[in-house]
Amino acid sequence: MPQRPSGSSGSGPRGAGTRREDQRPEEAAPRRGSEEPRRGSTHGTDAPRRGGKPEADPPGERGFGISEARAYTPRGRTVRERTPRTGRTTDPFRPALQVVEGGKPRAPRRPAPEEQPRGGNGRAAAGGTGRAGGNGGRTGGNSRQRAEQPAGRTEAPPRVRRKSTTAAVPAPRKRTTAAKASAAAKRPPAPRKRAPRRPPRLMDQRRRLRLGTVLALTVFATIGIRIVTMQFTESPAFAEKGLQTRLDRVDLPAPRGAIYDRGGAVLAHSVEARYVAVDPELVTDLEKTAAALQPLIAVPKSELIAKMAKRQQPGGGPSRFEYLARGVSIADGQRVEALDLAGIIVDRDERRQVPGQDLAASIIGFTSQDLNGLEGLEARYDDLLRGVDGKRVFEVGQGSLNAEIPGGYNRTTEAQPGSSLQLTIDRDLQYFVQKTLAERMAQAKAYTGAAVVLDVRTGEVLAQASYPTYDAAQPLKSKAEDREDTATSFVVDPGSVHKAITIGAALQEGAVKPTDTFVVGPRVRKGDQWFKDTHTNWTPKRMSIPGILAYSSNVGTIAIADKLGKEKLYEYQKKFGLGTATGVGVPGEASGLLLPPGKWSGSSYGSVPIGHSVAVTPLQMAAAYAAIANDGTWVQPHLVKETIAPDGKRTPTAPPVTRQVLSPENAQTLRQMLEAVTSVEGATGVRAAVDGYRVAGKTGTGSRVVNGQYVSGSVASFVGMAPAENPRYVIAVFAHTPAGGGGEVTAPAFHDMMGYALTHFGVPASSGKPPKFVVYP
């Protein structure tokens, strides 16, 4: 192991034992004990001790520079461990460190700019270890000193600074020869290591701690604010939501209003019933359950099995409720409950009951299983009859305690029953008219028939029958066309019953007088068509107006219409209510159709006056004849007399619309002329006469119009009134038959219906006989 060099102060390249001769006095190192503090010394004024005061160097010790301060050893020795006189380090491990470093003293290191001494020390240059030369002016010299070095001296390359957590003790520098100095100068400088990077901010523990603290405080503050908000501002809403999860509801159905006849007899009403339903998820044995239910609810077994089978709802999820039967009687519902079948539900229901079954079914209509009106007056007045359902909401427990909580939330909204309707229909008269119509239509093999009974003074519909009809208690078992109200939907060419309107308008306008006569031949041409009378063998004769009505002369009626004019005829058609729905209250009422004068063709002058090219309903024609019977005043027909509130208060319906069409005198004259139809021998309507009463009316034969087209067959009709001297009722009968006129098909039906109506309402018989009419003056 090489020995540590001696500490003589001999000269060297940058030796530091003695002061160089060329060094200026002011640059010499200060003496010991000098009052000037030494830079880099721990005893100087720049580095006070713990006591707070600077401490001077002990006597006999030299100061040391920054380069010497780094000469710490791994064993904890300091630079104070020097020889008192030479100032050399007495570190016994220095030779060993020198061997580790390659057996040579460390090359001098060029100081970094930041390591340059601020004022120069000078004292380090006088050190005895030769380290001042290695430091390159770091502690004692400066650039000026280096510039004044002898020319023969070569400065060693800077020493590479080693990275170490502790200061390495540099090896003492030996004096080198010129050759060694030259070789050292040629040696490439060691690469300078970069200073270690400063760690990123987030790797700083203090920064991370501060950031985590801020985030935690922010989260806690947000949660606290939210809790306060929920507690003081949103707590009622959350309490309400929580209550909703514990509430159960039971609907209280509102009883549907009833429908009564004019005397208070029930035509349709609601009764308490039961429904039978199933939860498919709970049924264990389909076959056994269906077999047990079939005889009690009258539903086929195959249908029950299909309804009880498990299925998925359209929106997803299993179906948990399916009706098996609605409107089951209370007794049958109790029998189903007694079976205690898994998955079967029995609860309160309501059923619409129609005591008369098919009685006035076409007028009353029917409802769905949910009691919503679908047809007839049930649909027209559904909002009035239905009422408002009530409900009972109460708090229940959860799980096994799923029962009402005594003293818990409980609120009941009472159901508001629907109002009832009292119709103008008379139940007994309706039954007789409906029965008679069915019998007569069956005899005539008619396709469709209708009959209407009106009170001429009030416009009330006392009976309105249709053929065929259906059972309103089981509406789905009938055909859709059988459920139509024929009196308001049966659109026909009225035929000869229209002649009373033509003659009444001519009398009112003064176009003819009651005593006028007309020459009536076998036929007349209008446009491209011939119009003839039904009595084909007639020769041209003069005929009175009553005779024209009695024998239903087409030629005579056309002659009267020629004097009246098409504009006036059209005007009176509208005044008599043709071409406009009456508004009786039945949904789907047809309005009929009139031919305006501007659209008349040549043949229209012959067809319109006798009731062709005109579309009307039986109810419209009945209202027109009621105007003749009511001294010329047309009264709007109506079916509803009054409404009855749930508390029993009765409210009459709005008064019907009225208008004056004929003067009372002309109306009375026309009524007398119409009596000829039932009293003159051989007249077309003699079969409509009623014993003991004077009857005025008119027969007709027309065609049926369906979707604007005529259909095969003929429409026979008779419209009349009685007693003719003071009419009380008007009855119109229409029938679509394969063949036949009003005199053969509908006049007998009128006879039966009018006879019953007069006796049913106790109308006194006529005091006199009908007048004698002169047909051929």
Side-chain angles (χ1 to χ4, degrees), residues 230-551:
M230 294 170 59
Q231 181 68 26
F232 292 99
T233 63
E234 300 180 5
S235 58
F238 281 101
E240 181 68 21
K241 290 182 179 179
L243 179 61
Q244 294 298 328
T245 61
R246 302 190 303 273
L247 293 182
D248 198 357
R249 170 175 172 168
V250 175
D251 291 330
L252 305 176
R256 189 177 178 86
I259 299 178
Y260 304 102
D261 80 331
R262 64 184 301 109
V266 176
L267 299 177
H269 66 142
S270 296
V271 296
E272 184 178 354
R274 298 289 182 267
Y275 71 76
V276 179
V278 62
D279 183 349
E281 296 295 320
L282 301 180
V283 178
T284 57
D285 192 335
L286 293 178
E287 292 286 342
K288 181 179 178 180
T289 304
L293 291 176
Q294 180 181 2
L296 297 178
I297 62 177
V299 178
K301 182 178 178 180
S302 58
E303 184 177 344
L304 290 175
I305 292 176
K307 290 182 177 180
M308 291 188 295
K310 295 182 180 181
R311 64 177 61 84
Q312 294 293 318
Q313 294 179 348
S319 175
R320 301 302 302 269
F321 187 89
E322 184 74 25
Y323 280 114
L324 298 180
R326 299 289 304 272
V328 178
S329 65
I330 297 176
D332 290 339
Q334 292 175 346
R335 294 188 184 96
V336 173
E337 284 184 307
L339 295 176
D340 194 19
L341 299 172
I344 300 302
I345 306 168
V346 180
D347 208 339
R348 186 186 182 280
D349 197 9
E350 191 175 347
R351 178 181 63 190
R352 199 64 169 170
Q353 193 173 59
V354 184
Q357 295 182 334
D358 64 343
L359 183 68
S362 58
I363 301 173
I364 297 172
F366 59 92
T367 64
S368 66
Q369 290 185 342
D370 296 326
L371 299 184
N372 295 320
L374 299 181
E375 288 190 12
L377 297 179
E378 292 276 18
R380 172 65 176 79
Y381 294 95
D382 183 61
D383 294 338
L384 181 71
L385 294 167
R386 183 165 51 190
V388 180
D389 291 342
K391 61 182 179 180
R392 179 172 175 264
V393 181
F394 52 91
E395 192 173 0
V396 297
Q398 303 294 326
S400 60
L401 299 178
N402 187 9
E404 182 176 358
I405 300 176
Y409 180 89
N410 192 327
R411 180 176 297 176
T412 301
T413 302
E414 297 294 340
Q416 300 179 11
S419 298
S420 299
L421 296 178
Q422 186 168 28
L423 306 184
T424 59
I425 296 293
D426 183 87
R427 182 184 61 176
D428 296 336
L429 179 61
Q430 175 72 27
Y431 171 78
F432 185 86
V433 169
Q434 193 168 315
K435 175 176 175 293
T436 302
L437 180 67
E439 292 174 351
R440 293 292 182 178
M441 296 302 100
Q443 292 175 4
K445 298 181 180 179
Y447 308 121
T448 307
V452 179
V453 182
L454 292 180
D455 187 322
V456 300
R457 300 175 183 176
T458 63
E460 294 176 349
V461 180
L462 302 178
Q464 187 166 300
S466 299
Y467 175 85
T469 187
Y470 70 101
D471 184 358
Q474 297 178 338
L476 300 181
K477 294 183 178 181
S478 60
K479 298 179 181 179
E481 54 270 20
D482 294 345
R483 299 194 294 265
E484 293 182 357
D485 179 49
T486 313
T488 58
S489 63
F490 190 28
V491 181
V492 299
D493 271 3
S496 295
V497 295
H498 184 271
K499 293 175 182 178
I501 295 175
T502 303
I503 296 173
L507 290 173
Q508 185 67 24
E509 291 297 320
V512 297
K513 296 178 181 179
T515 58
D516 288 348
T517 59
F518 298 87
V519 176
V520 178
R523 61 181 185 174
V524 64
R525 185 182 178 89
K526 293 293 181 180
D528 57 351
Q529 292 187 11
W530 289 94
F531 295 90
K532 58 183 180 180
D533 290 340
T534 55
H535 300 79
T536 55
N537 294 327
W538 285 4
T539 58
K541 295 180 181 179
R542 186 166 293 275
M543 184 177 289
S544 64
I545 297 177
I548 293 174
L549 289 172
Y551 294 109

